[in-house]
Amino acid sequence: MKKILVTGGAGFIGSNLVESLLEKGYQVVCLDNLATGSLRNIHDFLDHKNFEFVEGDILDFDLILKLSKGSFAISHQAALGSVPRSIKDPITSNRVNVEGTLNVFKAAVDNNIERVVYAASSSTYGDSAELPKKEDRIGKPLSPYAVTKFVNELYADVFHRVYGLNTIGLRYFNVFGPKQDPNGPYAAVIPLFIKAILSGERPIINGDGSHSRDFTFVSNAVQANIKALETSAENYNTVYNVACEQKTNLKELVAYINEVEGMNVAPIFANEREGDVKHSLADISKAKTQLGYRPSHLIKEGLSVTIDWYREKK
């Protein structure tokens, strides 16, 4: 039985990943400070014989060193997300996302861990207007959050060159799905829209609705993580796009949610958000070829599952 430390394992993506890892027979140690994660997300696993939850912070190097000892891998999902959050408080975003990741990489080196799979971000593409986005061509970051995620990639490369650490970065493109929190000032657009429409309220679109994203159902992100954790050594020390190669603008997104719900709730248009990328669409050929990644859910399929989950939790 292989042991894996999952940082941020009580968060949205992390908890979905933990569930899959347990189903596959891994021994999972989950580290989360519950700042954005929740015990509700891991409630069903707390009594599992192969699961251990530790409330703690990735800024605590000694704790990461202790918990990762004996692990074959670290799945590093912990971070402070949200472009607006990083613009409001860049210092905290940098501390958590950069210093925390540095702690994870150093602990992995000290414990001679085989590999670290970490959550990278499509925000790294910055002001590049090229579509679709290819891993080896990026622009300048547009927010402090984007800077922190790019720095993670730079540290991963340096740690491989200097210390021999093997890493795989997964550039997530707007992941959504069950367990994503629709509340709070930094909630993502899909849970916000679903929450509004399920309540019969008009969702708020920042901008004219033409902003587009490659929305990625969480099962696809989990699949990519499992593939990365189990792939062979020749696929280490690089980054992969994790998405669906499908572009959806915000007006279309509202229409899709209305379609699933059999409703016709019109959006409200507000000012654009500072730091937002206009369009985002991934080229996932690298992940397909090297990891064997194949999206299991496109946006409409993912929205159907997600809306059912929110309706049950409402």
Side-chain angles (χ1 to χ4, degrees):
M1 185 185 299
K2 291 184 175 181
K3 173 185 171 183
I4 296 178
L5 171 63
V6 181
T7 69
F12 159 48
I13 297 175
S15 61
N16 280 280
L17 175 58
V18 165
E19 181 176 6
S20 183
L21 289 170
L22 290 172
E23 288 174 353
K24 291 179 69 67
Y26 287 100
Q27 179 186 352
V28 178
V29 177
C30 167
L31 173 65
D32 203 299
N33 66 0
L34 303 180
T36 57
S38 171
L39 288 176
R40 293 190 303 273
N41 291 339
I42 57 172
H43 177 268
D44 293 343
F45 321 138
L46 291 177
D47 293 328
H48 196 291
K49 64 179 182 179
N50 295 333
F51 180 74
E52 177 187 0
F53 170 68
V54 177
E55 185 174 351
D57 203 296
I58 56 172
L59 294 175
D60 185 342
F61 173 76
D62 290 337
L63 180 60
I64 297 174
L65 189 66
K66 174 185 175 183
L67 295 180
S68 62
K69 190 174 182 62
S71 298
F72 107 94
I74 298 176
S75 172
H76 179 41
Q77 306 296 321
L80 269 185
S82 172
V83 166
R85 187 205 309 265
S86 75
I87 290 173
K88 182 178 180 180
D89 184 4
I91 292 174
T92 302
S93 288
N94 186 82
R95 182 178 300 123
V96 173
N97 295 352
V98 176
E99 294 181 27
T101 298
L102 187 59
N103 284 340
V104 169
F105 289 169
K106 184 60 166 62
V109 169
D110 289 357
N111 280 329
N112 197 30
I113 288 172
E114 181 180 322
R115 72 186 77 181
V116 176
V117 177
Y118 65 96
S121 171
S122 61
S123 65
T124 298
Y125 290 103
D127 64 0
S128 171
E130 180 181 356
L131 293 178
K133 308 295 187 184
K134 296 180 181 291
E135 287 88 347
D136 59 349
R137 297 201 287 273
I138 63 174
K140 293 182 179 179
L142 294 175
S143 67
Y145 172 73
V147 170
T148 68
K149 301 307 281 186
F150 181 43
V151 170
N152 288 174
E153 294 186 11
L154 295 175
Y155 263 127
D157 183 64
V158 167
F159 265 66
H160 173 61
R161 295 173 186 271
V162 176
Y163 304 106
L165 177 66
N166 292 314
T167 68
I168 293 176
L170 300 176
R171 286 183 185 161
Y172 297 151
F173 280 68
N174 295 85
V175 182
F176 73 96
K179 298 186 179 181
Q180 190 172 26
D181 190 358
N183 301 307
Y186 303 115
V189 64
I190 285 184
L192 282 175
F193 283 7
I194 292 175
K195 180 183 178 183
I197 291 173
L198 286 179
S199 301
E201 300 174 359
R202 298 175 66 185
I204 298 174
I205 290 178
N206 294 107
D208 63 4
S210 64
H211 285 68
S212 63
R213 297 289 183 267
D214 196 334
F215 293 107
T216 308
F217 187 59
V218 68
S219 291
N220 299 326
V222 168
Q223 179 203 150
N225 274 276
I226 298 295
K227 297 282 190 184
L229 287 165
E230 297 181 345
T231 194
S232 51
E234 64 266 22
N235 298 321
Y236 293 169
N237 304 310
T238 188
V239 294
Y240 298 94
N241 289 336
V242 177
C244 296
E245 292 184 317
Q246 183 182 35
K247 184 172 66 171
T248 303
N249 69 41
L250 296 181
K251 288 188 290 188
E252 290 171 332
L253 178 60
V254 170
Y256 290 161
I257 298 171
N258 273 313
E259 180 184 327
V260 171
E261 280 300 285
M263 300 176 71
N264 188 25
V265 181
I268 297 172
F269 296 93
N271 293 331
E272 290 189 17
R273 297 190 312 181
E274 187 178 4
D276 266 356
V277 174
K278 185 70 175 179
H279 299 292
S280 186
L281 174 66
D283 180 326
I284 59 174
S285 57
K286 183 178 176 182
K288 285 181 174 180
T289 301
Q290 295 181 217
L291 297 181
Y293 167 74
R294 297 290 188 278
S296 61
H297 294 69
L298 298 181
I299 185 165
K300 286 189 176 182
E301 299 163 315
L303 281 174
S304 180
V305 175
T306 304
I307 290 170
D308 285 345
W309 185 87
Y310 281 117
R311 189 186 295 110
E312 291 175 5
K313 299 298 179 180
K314 186 177 176 183

